[in-house]
Amino acid sequence: MKILITGNMGYIGPSVVDYLRNSYPGVTLVGLDMGYFAHCLTASDIFPEHRIDLQYFADIRRLSPDILQNIDAIIHLAAISNDPMGNTYEKVTSDVNYRSSVNLARLAKEAGVKKFVFASSCSSYGFAEGEPRKEDSPLNPLTAYARSKVDTEKGVKELASDDFVVTCLRFATACGMSERLRLDLVVNDFVAGAVAAKEITILSDGTPWRPLIHINDMARAMQWAISREPSNGGAFLAINAGSDEWNYQVRDLAEAVAKVIPAVHVSINKHAEPDKRSYRVDFGLFKKLAPNHQPQIDLMEAIAGLKEGLERMNFRDSNFRDSHFMRLKVLSNLREKGMLNSELEWQAAGNSPHHKYAM
Ligand SMILES: NC(=O)c1ccc[n+]([C@@H]2O[C@H](COP(=O)([O-])OP(=O)(O)OC[C@H]3O[C@@H](n4cnc5c(N)ncnc54)[C@H](O)[C@@H]3O)[C@@H](O)[C@H]2O)c1
């Protein structure tokens, strides 16, 4: 079996690759990434891609179909991966996250790939008061990022068949320690503040609902999705991936962090404008269809893992919201230095769209 993981050199990718490597020691794992954050290693003594059999440094927008020869399954993570980047690079977000994703799926189907897993997002539900959202609840994407996920789901649905099984995992917000940690995610941000400065600053009034999932549990869900047969959920499935126990309000998350890390001061912005992103999500379908791949890590364990990882890094930067732990900040720095152009293409790359690096 040969599995292609796009966007493998980001925050979630290294966990997914590690999980697949342990689950399927003999399979060929192929990575494809633009490498925007390749240098942002955290608490890692070793290049995480040592687990990969073949790594392409390539732009998903200029995909050569050759890459897809003999691939059995694709886990598609490559994306401009949050709202701040999506707001700044709206066209790139649509090109990378939507157009290139549908194109990848189309080429994959033509090449005989059997399973396609897309990392979608619960942010597609937008501001959703009342009952937890189910898969058939109305979508309300409020940002370029969320719209790109909704559009891709629609685009890849058309392609699904019994020979090309498509699973869109609508993930809750990720958290947990990674070899390429991001701190622009709510729980990670709170733990970083607590470790660096004994301070948690909630930017909202603390009331928004935010379902969460640990990155290792995301990997578990992806393993389920690449092995899913159409008899379990249909040739096309868009499914909420997380667990009902992990629907938290932001202030509860801060309090949980303060329990694990003592003497932390929590400040809530009582005058904040109501957060536009607030949704509770129903994960019942995922529990029903994937009983053996349910999330296993709980919030306290996730917080403890982050604390331990940050301490190992000797993390002290109370100004981390302005650092290279923020995805948008990294892109802005690369732009300022002239390394990336306004389309977020590498300026120094030669004419060949793919820099192949076999390991
Ligand atoms: N982190 C979360 O909370 C979360 C939640 C739901 C869904 N997701 C989705 O999971 C996926 C991975 O998220 P992440 O947190 O690891 O993000 P990340 O930004 O850390 O990683 C994304 C990777 O995609 C690569 N990439 C971007 N544009 C590319 C292009 N044109 N060609 C090739 N590679 C490109 C980047 O270099 C990066 O390594 C994304 O699709 C994201 O939308 C993430």
Side-chain angles (χ1 to χ4, degrees):
M1 172 140 106
K2 206 168 169 187
I3 306 171
L4 170 68
I5 304 113
T6 72
N8 65 299
M9 298 175 78
Y11 167 61
I12 297 165
S15 290
V16 174
V17 171
D18 188 39
Y19 192 86
L20 293 175
R21 178 49 76 221
N22 288 324
S23 310
Y24 307 115
V27 307
T28 302
L29 298 178
V30 181
L32 184 152
D33 201 295
M34 188 95 180
Y36 291 142
F37 313 109
H39 59 298
C40 302
L41 287 171
T42 46
S44 181
D45 295 331
I46 187 163
F47 186 47
E49 285 64 49
H50 72 277
R51 307 175 184 106
I52 287 272
D53 297 288
L54 175 67
Q55 179 72 49
Y56 291 99
F57 292 107
D59 188 334
I60 200 84
R61 289 170 288 186
R62 292 191 284 152
L63 191 73
S64 148
D66 302 350
I67 286 179
L68 303 171
Q69 286 314 310
N70 302 320
I71 297 283
D72 299 291
I74 297 179
I75 294 181
H76 180 41
L77 304 175
I80 304 300
S81 63
N82 69 9
D83 289 339
M85 285 188 283
N87 296 340
T88 312
Y89 299 105
E90 202 166 328
K91 178 179 173 295
V92 179
T93 297
S94 178
D95 285 348
V96 173
N97 296 17
Y98 161 51
R99 267 178 280 283
S100 303
S101 298
V102 177
N103 186 47
L104 169 67
R106 189 179 55 76
L107 293 174
K109 184 173 177 168
E110 281 169 20
V113 175
K114 299 272 174 295
K115 305 284 169 71
F116 187 83
V117 178
F118 174 59
S120 191
S121 166
C122 286
S123 64
S124 308
Y125 296 114
F127 186 76
E129 284 186 305
E131 289 303 294
R133 287 328 196 235
K134 293 191 175 172
E135 287 75 1
D136 55 3
S137 302
L139 299 175
N140 183 18
L142 299 168
T143 61
Y145 170 73
R147 277 193 296 277
S148 74
K149 296 293 181 186
V150 172
D151 290 346
T152 303
E153 284 193 9
K154 277 192 205 140
V156 295
K157 185 175 183 177
E158 311 274 301
L159 298 166
S161 68
D162 280 358
D163 296 329
F164 186 66
V165 180
V166 175
T167 311
C168 298
L169 295 167
R170 288 182 189 159
F171 281 119
T173 298
C175 67
M177 193 60 205
S178 157
E179 288 163 325
R180 288 199 180 85
L181 182 63
R182 285 175 59 177
L183 294 180
D184 49 12
L185 297 165
V186 63
V187 171
N188 298 5
D189 170 286
F190 288 173
V191 179
V195 168
K198 296 269 176 203
E199 181 78 37
I200 295 175
T201 313
I202 304 182
L203 297 172
S204 66
D205 66 358
T207 58
W209 286 92
R210 191 62 53 80
L212 291 165
I213 184 167
H214 190 277
I215 51 174
N216 293 0
D217 287 330
M218 295 174 101
R220 201 183 307 283
M222 291 183 216
Q223 190 208 14
W224 169 74
I226 55 167
S227 52
R228 189 178 74 79
E229 293 302 329
S231 53
N232 186 26
F236 173 82
L237 179 66
I239 187 166
N240 298 332
S243 75
D244 290 340
E245 291 73 36
W246 275 67
N247 271 305
Y248 287 101
Q249 280 182 291
V250 169
R251 63 174 175 232
D252 300 332
L253 297 172
E255 278 159 23
V257 174
K259 260 192 208 140
V260 178
I261 305 172
V264 163
H265 177 251
V266 178
S267 62
I268 291 187
N269 185 354
K270 291 204 176 78
H271 306 293
E273 293 277 309
D275 195 326
K276 286 215 194 71
R277 221 179 115 178
S278 178
Y279 41 86
R280 273 192 297 154
V281 176
D282 185 316
F283 296 99
L285 183 62
F286 183 57
K287 197 167 191 171
K288 186 171 149 218
L289 298 185
N292 301 323
H293 289 79
Q294 288 300 293
Q296 292 181 356
I297 298 170
D298 69 23
L299 179 60
M300 290 304 177
E301 210 179 325
I303 294 169
L306 280 161
K307 172 178 179 281
E308 196 260 321
L310 288 164
E311 286 172 352
R312 209 158 10 108
M313 288 161 58
N314 227 349
F315 183 79
R316 294 271 178 281
D317 183 8
S318 56
N319 201 23
F320 64 88
R321 282 178 177 167
D322 200 26
S323 77
H324 72 283
F325 291 104
M326 316 300 278
R327 289 296 186 241
L328 176 57
K329 191 78 195 169
V330 176
L331 292 186
S332 306
N333 282 341
L334 292 169
R335 284 277 296 127
E336 272 161 33
K337 289 185 182 137
M339 307 273 184
L340 291 173
N341 64 18
S342 58
E343 295 291 308
L344 300 183
E345 295 162 327
W346 290 114
Q347 286 297 77
N351 289 327
S352 160
H354 301 112
H355 306 270
K356 203 187 285 186
Y357 182 59
M359 305 187 71

